[in-house]
Amino acid sequence: QIRWFAGGHPLGEATGHRELRVPTVAIGHPLEVHYTPHRADGLVGKTKIYKWDRKIVHTEPQILDWRILGDAVEASTLTFEYDYLGGQEGGTTWSWLWEDGTELETAANQVTYTLQLEDVGHNIYVKVVPMRADGMVGDPAMAVLTRPGSGPSPRRGGGGGPPPGG
């Protein structure tokens, strides 16, 4: 049996696992692993306690698994979604840009942007700079939406046959 502890408190979700994904509650505490060997015939050995003397610290702020959601069509609203890692998030900034670096002012520091007529034909980028609540800044992340068009959004789904007129 394997049991994990942080600061003397059990990390219940990690019980029985040899590997630990360090939960936020462990930040600022040293880790302990309590290992009790069990044989197939039921004999239980003496519990050994392994202590790690260093306290767990936050990783640097990071943007993980980012994506732009929405249709690449004029007047559609795009949303930037992401997962954050690195302590309590605070002060993260977003910039929506064209491929030449021109910032789209109407979307400054917004997680959504509505495509305008002038965006048609440009790649749209989102630059996100993660920041932890204590002010530590991580590396920027970039996502791209390839060249929005104009006109109605394409239909979704269908019967699987060739396109009309095809």
Side-chain angles (χ1 to χ4, degrees):
Q1 178 184 8
I2 299 171
R3 295 181 63 213
W4 292 87
F5 293 82
H9 301 286
L11 300 174
E13 68 276 3
T15 296
H17 298 282
R18 291 182 184 191
E19 293 181 6
L20 173 71
R21 181 176 176 131
V22 179
T24 304
V25 296
I27 303 296
H29 301 285
L31 291 178
E32 289 183 13
V33 178
H34 296 206
Y35 175 69
T36 306
H38 291 254
R39 281 196 337 203
D41 65 4
L43 186 64
V44 177
K46 183 179 178 184
T47 298
K48 303 259 187 208
I49 299 174
Y50 300 92
K51 294 182 179 185
W52 193 31
D53 293 332
R54 297 187 329 206
K55 291 181 178 180
I56 302 297
V57 297
H58 291 292
T59 184
E60 92 173 23
Q62 299 173 50
I63 300 296
L64 306 173
D65 192 26
W66 60 89
R67 57 224 163 261
I68 298 175
L69 303 175
D71 292 323
V73 178
E74 175 191 357
S76 293
T77 298
L78 305 176
T79 302
F80 183 75
E81 289 188 352
Y82 62 93
D83 296 324
Y84 172 87
L85 178 67
Q88 180 67 39
E89 184 177 12
T92 295
T93 60
W94 303 270
S95 302
W96 294 79
L97 315 157
W98 282 345
E99 67 272 3
D100 66 1
T102 301
E103 188 168 341
L104 307 174
E105 293 298 324
T106 60
N109 219 22
Q110 303 288 324
V111 293
T112 62
Y113 175 67
T114 301
L115 291 167
Q116 308 297 312
L117 176 61
E118 51 274 3
D119 297 324
V120 173
H122 290 279
N123 289 330
I124 304 293
Y125 290 82
V126 181
K127 177 182 176 185
V128 181
V129 180
M131 181 184 290
R132 195 165 57 215
D134 65 5
M136 182 171 192
V137 176
D139 292 332
M142 296 281 286
V144 65
L145 176 73
T146 306
R147 303 199 186 278
S150 61
S153 180
R155 291 186 340 163
R156 302 231 185 263

